[in-house]
Amino acid sequence: MQSCRELGISTVAVHSTADRNSLHVRYADEAVCIGPPMGKDSYLNVPRILAAAEITNADAIHPGYGFLAENADFAEVCTSSGIKFIGPDAEMIRKMGDKNTARKTMIAAGVPVVPGSSGLISDGNEALKTAEKIGYPIIIKPTAGGGGKGMRVVNDGGELGKAIATAQNEAQQAFGNSGVYIEKFIECPRHVEIQVLSDQHGNTIHLGERDCTIQRRHQKLIEETPSPAIHEEQRRKMGEAAVAAAAAINYEGAGTVEFLLDKHGNFYFMEMNTRIQVEHPVTEERYSVDLVREQIMTAAGESIAQRSFSPKGHAIECRINAEDPEHGFRPSPGELQVFHTPGGYGVRVDSHGYASYKVPPHYDSLIAKLIVHADTREEAIERMLRALDEFIVVGIKTTIPFHKKLLRTEAFRSGKFDTGFLDSGGFTLS
Ligand code: MV4
């Protein structure tokens, strides 16, 4: 809504009955209610969304970062209805949505992948041979999964056959697709991803990395750029690999190529996200670019051939969730009786909330993104601590106190941590 307003493009918000008072609705020129709170009745209901687009004469749909943002069928229906889906076309989404296909595509493009099976597992003996060759532990991943859903680690051959059968059954239940493949299990990795941007004319650039290693149960909590764990040479190689990945599928728009970084500094392709991501603001701050504006401009056919972006300083994002970190991060919906957001130099808050807004219980618990930008990582951490102190939320529990404590730990300050930091139980609020 904000990017469109600056571009002189009028906007229509679609919303469920639960989101009538959300800021995205207030920032839009028009709003259409598309149904009751449950996703299947509103935000996942393709006919209702297309009807809203048709009655308001919309030229394009921006899919955001949840719900249908990576749904190839939705992108296809938009296109066949004469509405531009702001993002890559259905074929690219499908290619990257099937993780085994994505892996094969990356191998063909010369992008490093984790050693593993050459395709889906069809036979137990062949799987045993693959596992012996790459060495235990291995990880079984569902091809239709992503974001960690349905993965299993196997430590020796004795468990393998049973683990594959279980994984296949679970994958069938969860995704309607029983396909699984095997990779070597990388221990204590970091999650480092590269932002890419492609236009419709074959140009692809990258906008550096984001380190998203601070996660809890596959939910990112803090993201930063640059990564404290890579040096210039790795950064250059990872950037080149990400550009090769996007170019290989003739990508369009903003995308993210996720890598696992191992203890030795080797990196491997994990997944490609064919949408704008929650954590995109850290890249925006470091590269002085509005990525949503770039999505809209590239969707409209603009070239990026003459564009250049240069990084400056360090940016960090803390996700402020309506959750109680003292009780297992359980959801904490309700009224934001006080909602005082921080400001001042180098501080940004992206939120759909405001004082008196009621956080509905039906959706993701993210209520605000707090982003800081500074010259160095140390200054960015101090600025974030200052901003977290200014942030006052009364009425619900949030992750603010958790962030305050986490940012003061030696592990975070030194930059020496891996994806197990929060889940290993060594760090808690209480
Ligand atoms: C892995 C892995 C170790 N080895 N693959 C989790 C999310 C999904 N994108 C892939 N994930 C992982 N894949 C191999 N071969 C460890 C993880 C993983 C992880 C990755 C990134 C950030 C946090 C994580 C937490 C647990 C496991």
Side-chain angles (χ1 to χ4, degrees):
M1 302 305 168
Q2 295 170 321
S3 302
C4 282
R5 179 62 61 96
E6 292 178 18
L7 285 165
I9 298 169
S10 55
T11 54
V12 181
V14 292
H15 64 88
S16 71
T17 53
D19 279 343
R20 225 171 255 295
N21 299 316
S22 178
L23 269 194
H24 88 279
V25 175
R26 301 198 182 194
Y27 284 170
D29 295 301
E30 290 175 73
V32 178
C33 180
I34 52 168
M38 289 271 285
K40 67 175 172 46
D41 302 320
S42 49
Y43 297 114
L44 290 170
N45 191 308
V46 174
R48 286 184 179 185
I49 292 167
L50 284 167
E54 268 153 27
I55 59 169
T56 55
N57 211 4
D59 299 310
I61 295 180
H62 190 296
Y65 38 65
F67 293 115
L68 299 173
E70 294 186 281
N71 186 303
D73 296 337
F74 178 61
E76 199 161 79
V77 179
C78 287
T79 305
S80 60
S81 309
I83 295 165
K84 173 64 186 163
F85 175 86
I86 300 177
D89 67 33
E91 193 197 336
M92 303 170 205
I93 299 175
R94 246 177 229 122
K95 246 189 194 152
M96 288 299 160
D98 186 87
K99 306 304 166 191
N100 180 54
T101 304
R103 192 178 138 84
K104 285 187 165 174
T105 309
M106 291 306 121
I107 295 169
V111 176
V113 301
V114 187
S117 54
S118 59
L120 294 179
I121 302 300
S122 54
D123 145 289
N125 278 328
E126 185 197 308
L128 265 175
K129 275 190 204 146
T130 303
E132 298 279 293
K133 198 175 78 198
I134 63 181
Y136 291 92
I138 59 99
I139 184 167
I140 307 171
K141 297 186 175 185
T143 190
K149 283 187 288 274
M151 304 183 325
R152 319 176 75 81
V153 178
V154 176
N155 291 300
D156 68 83
E159 315 162 32
L160 188 63
K162 207 173 153 207
I164 289 171
T166 312
Q168 285 171 331
N169 279 326
E170 283 181 6
Q172 182 63 42
Q173 290 294 319
F175 314 112
N177 176 346
S178 65
V180 301
Y181 62 99
I182 287 178
E183 284 180 358
K184 177 153 187 70
F185 181 64
I186 307 293
E187 288 174 89
C188 307
R190 294 182 73 111
H191 173 129
V192 181
E193 59 186 32
I194 303 278
Q195 176 70 52
V196 295
L197 181 67
S198 303
D199 67 17
Q200 296 172 353
H201 313 282
N203 304 299
T204 294
I205 58 166
H206 77 83
L207 294 162
E209 80 279 14
R210 292 185 288 259
D211 191 312
C212 310
T213 301
I214 300 287
Q215 312 199 352
R216 184 187 169 274
R217 301 194 180 167
H218 301 298
Q219 293 293 317
K220 295 168 186 168
L221 272 163
I222 299 182
E223 304 95 346
E224 62 180 311
T225 181
S227 167
I230 64 170
H231 50 67
E232 213 43 59
E233 160 100 343
Q234 287 164 300
R235 180 168 290 112
R236 190 178 53 75
K237 284 189 182 158
M238 226 185 246
E240 282 170 9
V243 168
I249 58 166
N250 199 19
Y251 196 69
E252 175 192 328
T256 300
V257 184
E258 295 183 354
F259 294 99
L260 275 180
L261 182 71
D262 74 13
K263 281 180 280 200
H264 315 288
N266 303 307
F267 64 88
Y268 308 95
F269 170 82
M270 218 176 6
E271 296 178 13
M272 179 168 183
N273 299 314
T274 56
R275 60 172 193 277
I276 192 89
Q277 289 187 279
V278 169
E279 61 270 25
H280 75 276
V282 293
T283 301
E284 294 189 327
E285 295 305 314
R286 185 159 124 89
Y287 283 81
S288 300
V289 60
D290 175 349
L291 285 169
V292 176
R293 182 189 180 103
E294 298 305 321
Q295 286 188 294
I296 295 164
M297 298 307 282
T298 52
E302 284 278 312
S303 169
I304 56 168
Q306 306 303 319
R307 306 290 299 281
S308 77
F309 300 94
S310 40
K312 184 176 165 287
H314 198 101
I316 307 179
E317 171 177 279
C318 285
R319 295 194 188 192
I320 313 302
N321 298 335
E323 292 172 354
D324 181 356
E326 290 190 273
H327 293 96
F329 290 78
R330 70 179 175 209
S332 179
E335 184 180 341
L336 305 177
Q337 292 159 359
V338 176
F339 192 68
H340 175 83
T341 54
Y345 186 67
V347 176
R348 162 177 171 182
V349 178
D350 284 9
S351 175
H352 60 284
Y354 48 88
S356 83
Y357 174 73
K358 287 188 188 67
V359 178
H362 313 91
Y363 308 111
D364 189 282
S365 63
L366 184 71
I367 56 165
K369 302 188 256 186
L370 174 56
I371 306 106
V372 300
H373 186 220
D375 288 341
T376 66
R377 185 170 191 268
E378 290 68 34
E379 288 172 74
I381 293 171
E382 291 313 315
R383 184 160 290 157
M384 181 63 84
L385 284 166
R386 185 271 285 179
L388 286 163
D389 277 339
E390 289 175 14
F391 212 142
I392 307 203
V393 182
V394 176
I396 63 161
K397 299 282 188 190
T398 75
T399 46
I400 292 170
F402 186 83
H403 286 301
K404 287 183 185 175
K405 187 171 173 195
L406 180 53
L407 261 61
R408 288 192 169 91
T409 61
E410 174 53 25
F412 187 79
R413 284 178 179 263
S414 66
K416 292 183 184 129
F417 47 85
D418 61 62
T419 54
F421 182 48
L422 297 184
D423 291 324
S424 62
F427 178 81
T428 54
L429 185 57
S430 34

